[in-house]
Amino acid sequence: MEKWLHVSGSIDPLASQTHITYTFPILEQASMIRIEFKYAPKTLTDAAQAQTIIESAMVRYGYDAPQEHEWQKYAPLQNLITLSVDDPQTHRGQAHRQDSQQTHFLSIDHASPGFWKGSNPVGEWKVILSVHSIVTPECHYQIEVWGD
């Protein structure tokens, strides 16, 4: 397989509830596309920081006075980034999963859960990261797209 896209980046909590789009060309019809996606860290391990974030959210969403230790039932907090794919003609699906490391396949006969199988046409493809929540000070991600 040939590597068609390799990108990496770092984001912080200000990126929460945003999308990051990467495009890459497919110059010849591909029989198989493999997408490798990972990000880290997954979990916020700083308990004091988690308590601050959770209690702030509890107040924002209607708790008048969070009781001591009530915040702990919402811990641990985790980063969540999901991935979707568009081919040059249509949306090919999405992987709204909690896993911080994922591999997806697209071909005419097979597609990973959440994606649609079909031909992999020539043209400009998109991989979109949906950054649902970043709770750690920094989160690193990497995407690789392979094909043949």
Side-chain angles (χ1 to χ4, degrees):
M1 295 189 105
E2 182 180 346
K3 189 184 295 185
W4 290 337
L5 176 70
H6 179 166
V7 294
S8 60
S10 295
I11 51 180
D12 62 24
L14 293 175
S16 295
Q17 300 183 1
T18 64
H19 300 279
I20 301 169
T21 301
Y22 292 100
T23 60
F24 61 97
I26 292 184
L27 304 176
E28 296 180 20
Q29 179 121 2
S31 61
M32 175 67 74
I33 295 174
R34 184 180 83 221
I35 301 168
E36 304 278 345
F37 169 56
K38 61 183 176 181
Y39 63 94
K42 177 66 179 168
T43 304
L44 175 62
T45 57
D46 184 325
Q49 198 172 21
Q51 181 178 2
T52 299
I53 293 170
I54 292 169
E55 288 181 347
S56 174
M58 292 173 78
V59 169
R60 186 175 345 122
Y61 293 110
Y63 287 74
D64 291 331
Q67 297 179 2
E68 189 171 333
H69 303 299
E70 190 175 24
W71 69 272
Q72 292 176 340
K73 70 180 179 184
Y74 300 103
L77 293 178
Q78 298 184 344
N79 292 329
L80 178 60
I81 305 172
T82 62
L83 178 142
S84 61
V85 177
D86 293 347
D87 73 21
Q89 300 163 356
T90 190
H91 180 65
R92 290 295 291 270
Q94 60 281 324
H96 284 192
R97 296 171 178 61
Q98 290 287 334
D99 302 334
S100 60
Q101 186 163 351
Q102 305 172 19
T103 301
H104 305 288
F105 295 95
L106 297 167
S107 76
I108 198 160
D109 300 321
H110 175 77
S112 298
F115 294 91
W116 290 272
K117 62 185 177 183
S119 66
N120 295 323
V122 170
E124 185 171 285
W125 286 61
K126 294 180 184 174
V127 174
I128 301 106
L129 298 181
S130 294
V131 184
H132 297 272
S133 180
I134 301 298
V135 294
T136 56
E138 191 171 48
C139 182
H140 306 279
Y141 63 88
Q142 179 178 305
I143 304 167
E144 291 183 346
V145 178
W146 300 77
D148 62 8

